[in-house]
């Protein structure tokens, strides 16, 4: 029997076993519907289970590359099991609730970060159940980009899933099912029309688009990084439990080193502006590097390069500051075009990173939405060089392997008298998606910088743990 005939047989069988019913029903959300699906009953019909498995197998194996299958609990679990055995592919099981003891894992089974997982579901209306499983898999660093469905109710689920980067394929659509049942005299023309009218008029609510990096831990994101500095920074944050970057905007090298000695334990990154240091020397650089090793932080020179590639390569590798010699990463503008990234790429033999400025914290800055988008696009070709973006919004980029570095942070929202805008840790981390938060005067100008650094560190870390728990919206 060919594929189409088998699909027809499935439609007729689903009707025969009462998995599809026509009449006056009420959906979970209280909307009247002339058609109702209850595919939970299929477990009582081994030949229907076998047919579904065969069809999904032909459908899935022919077109997809995947490492695991995962059924949306509960109806799709036995189907995913049969499919996993038939395809000889591993299965993962998503829990509905995390265990209260032991590992507290949501996903059971063996997997590696970056593995591809195919989702199996019985019926899709809005796609929200599929998205719950997709989100839990993505939190574990798995790729969940394809969902195979028995029946698509055609009420917006496909569009909702696509907007969350999940391609959906269904064995049957509601339209096709009605057509088959009508052709085979299982339903009347009137019933068919009632269902068609209903389909025209009732759409499921849209599913909120998720930004995967908002829910992934720094450990998981380290595994997804293609830039060595981003990887290191994620790992330092996870190990030291801090996502605080201190901007040491002081003009005396002794004062800078004294401050770092006090707060270095509480930060993951130290950000410098070397051109404001009045007594800059190679001795300062050696002491800074020594502290970075001792206290386990990375060094970012916030140079904000913005010239043509040739000049930038000289600014980066030569002159009084010879930044490439000591800074793990630098900031740079995208304004001059790609040449600036070409210049920085390969200018050093050791691992380096670039934070590209996609947005600024200052009031009235001239960066437009289009400029931001083009900046993010420009970075795509330089996956080994870019460790992140200096930006202010969670939707500026999606790649979970890179870092959102966000300046303009103080414990209270405020402004300075030269246009700097400050947001609170809650706003920056939970709403705006900051991964590493830059604090300058909030710590540097405090009476006791160490106490203040701990306050910032704790507040920012608390927001991060809340964010990855997903329980903040
Ligand atoms: O958009 C940007 C980019 C960089 N910065 C830098 O961050 C610090 C912020 O210092 P505060 O004292 O906390 O204001 C500073 O070095 C800026 O050059 C930024 O503020 N905004």
């Amino acid at each position: 029997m060919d594929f189409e005939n088998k699909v027809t047989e499935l439609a007729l069988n689903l009707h025969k076993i009462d998995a599809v019913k026509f009449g006056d029903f009420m959906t979970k959300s209280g909307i009247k519907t002339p058609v109702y699906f209850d595919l939970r009953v299929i477990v009582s019909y081994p030949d229907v289970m076998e047919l579904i498995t065969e069809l999904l197998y032909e459908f899935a194996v022919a077109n997809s590359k995947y490492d695991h299958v995962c059924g949306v609990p509960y109806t799709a679990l036995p189907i995913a099991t049969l499919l996993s055995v038939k395809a000889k592919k591993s299965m993962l099981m998503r829990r509905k609730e995390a265990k209260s003891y032991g590992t507290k894992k949501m996903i059971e089974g063996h997997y590696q970060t970056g593995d591809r997982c195919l989702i199996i579901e019985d019926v899709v209306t809005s796609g929200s159940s599929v998205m719950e499983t997709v989100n839990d898999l993505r939190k574990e660093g798995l790729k969940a980009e394809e969902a195979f469905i028995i029946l698509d109710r055609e009420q917006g689920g496909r569009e909702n899933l696509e907007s969350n980067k999940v391609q959906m394929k269904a064995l049957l659509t509601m339209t096709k099912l009605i057509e088959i049942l009508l052709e085979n005299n299982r339903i009347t023309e009137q019933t068919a029309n009632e269902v068609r009218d209903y389909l025209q008029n009732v759409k499921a609510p849209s599913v909120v688009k998720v930004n995967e990096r908002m829910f992934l831990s720094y450990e998981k994101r380290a595994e997804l990084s293609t830039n060595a500095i981003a990887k290191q920074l994620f790992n330092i944050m996870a190990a030291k439990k801090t996502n605080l970057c201190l901007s040491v905007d002081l003009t005396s090298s002794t004062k800078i080193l004294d401050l770092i000695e006090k707060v270095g334990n509480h930060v993951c990154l130290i950000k410098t502006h070397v051109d404001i240091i009045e007594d800059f020397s190679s001795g300062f650089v050696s002491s800074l590097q020594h502290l970075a090793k001792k206290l386990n932080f990375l060094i970012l020179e916030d140079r904000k390069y913005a010239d043509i590639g040739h000049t930038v390569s000289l600014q980066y590798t030569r002159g009084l500051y010879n930044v490439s010699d000591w800074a793990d990463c630098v900031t740079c503008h995208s304004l001059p075009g790609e040449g600036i990234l070409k210049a920085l790429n390969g200018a050093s033999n050791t691992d380096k990173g670039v934070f590209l400025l996609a947005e600024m914290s200052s009031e009235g800055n001239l960066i437009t939405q289009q400029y931001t988008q083009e900046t993010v696009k420009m970075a795509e070709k330089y996956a080994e060089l870019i460790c992140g973006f200096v930006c202010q919004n969670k939707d500026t980029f999606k790649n979970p392997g890179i870092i959102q570095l966000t300046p303009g942070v103080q414990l209270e929202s405020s402004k300075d008298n030269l246009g700097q805008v400050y947001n609170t840790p809650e706003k920056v981390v939970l709403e705006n998606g900051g991964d590493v938060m830059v604090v300058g005067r909030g710590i540097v100008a405090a009476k006791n910088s160490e106490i203040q650094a701990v306050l910032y560190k704790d507040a920012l870390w608390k927001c991060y743990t809340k964010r990855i728990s997903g329980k903040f919206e």
Side-chain angles (χ1 to χ4, degrees), residues 245-249 271-273 276 302 304 331 333 357 359-362 365 367 390-392 405-410 416 420-422 438-445 456:
C245 164
L246 175 67
S247 186
V248 280
D249 298 341
K271 185 174 87 60
T272 55
H273 282 294
I276 65 170
D302 192 5
K304 298 191 184 70
T331 52
H333 283 289
L357 270 106
E359 284 160 334
M360 289 197 73
S361 60
S362 49
N365 72 74
I367 294 179
V390 178
C391 65
Q392 297 286 325
L405 183 76
T406 301
V409 183
Q410 287 207 351
D416 74 4
Q420 173 71 305
V421 178
Y422 294 110
V438 178
V439 180
R441 284 163 286 176
I443 293 173
V444 175
Y456 274 96

Side-chain angles (χ1 to χ4, degrees), residues 129-178:
S129 299
V130 170
M131 277 317 297
E132 281 172 17
T133 296
V134 165
N135 290 340
D136 279 347
L137 290 166
R138 286 180 176 171
K139 274 189 209 167
E140 292 301 313
L142 285 147
K143 288 191 180 132
E145 291 162 353
E146 281 184 292
F148 287 82
I149 315 296
I150 300 174
L151 192 125
D152 172 13
R153 286 183 63 119
E154 297 177 292
Q155 289 178 280
R158 175 183 299 280
E159 294 73 14
N160 280 337
L161 291 177
E162 270 168 13
S163 75
N164 280 294
K165 296 223 163 61
V166 180
Q167 293 304 314
M168 182 185 110
K169 287 188 180 166
L171 291 178
L172 277 164
T173 58
M174 189 111 100
T175 309
K176 176 94 181 155
L177 178 80
I178 296 305

Side-chain angles (χ1 to χ4, degrees), residues 272-278 280 284-285 301-302 321 323 326:
T272 55
H273 282 294
V274 275
D275 53 357
I276 65 170
I277 303 175
E278 285 159 354
F280 178 84
F284 163 74
V285 166
E301 164 53 18
D302 192 5
Y321 302 120
V323 174
W326 52 271

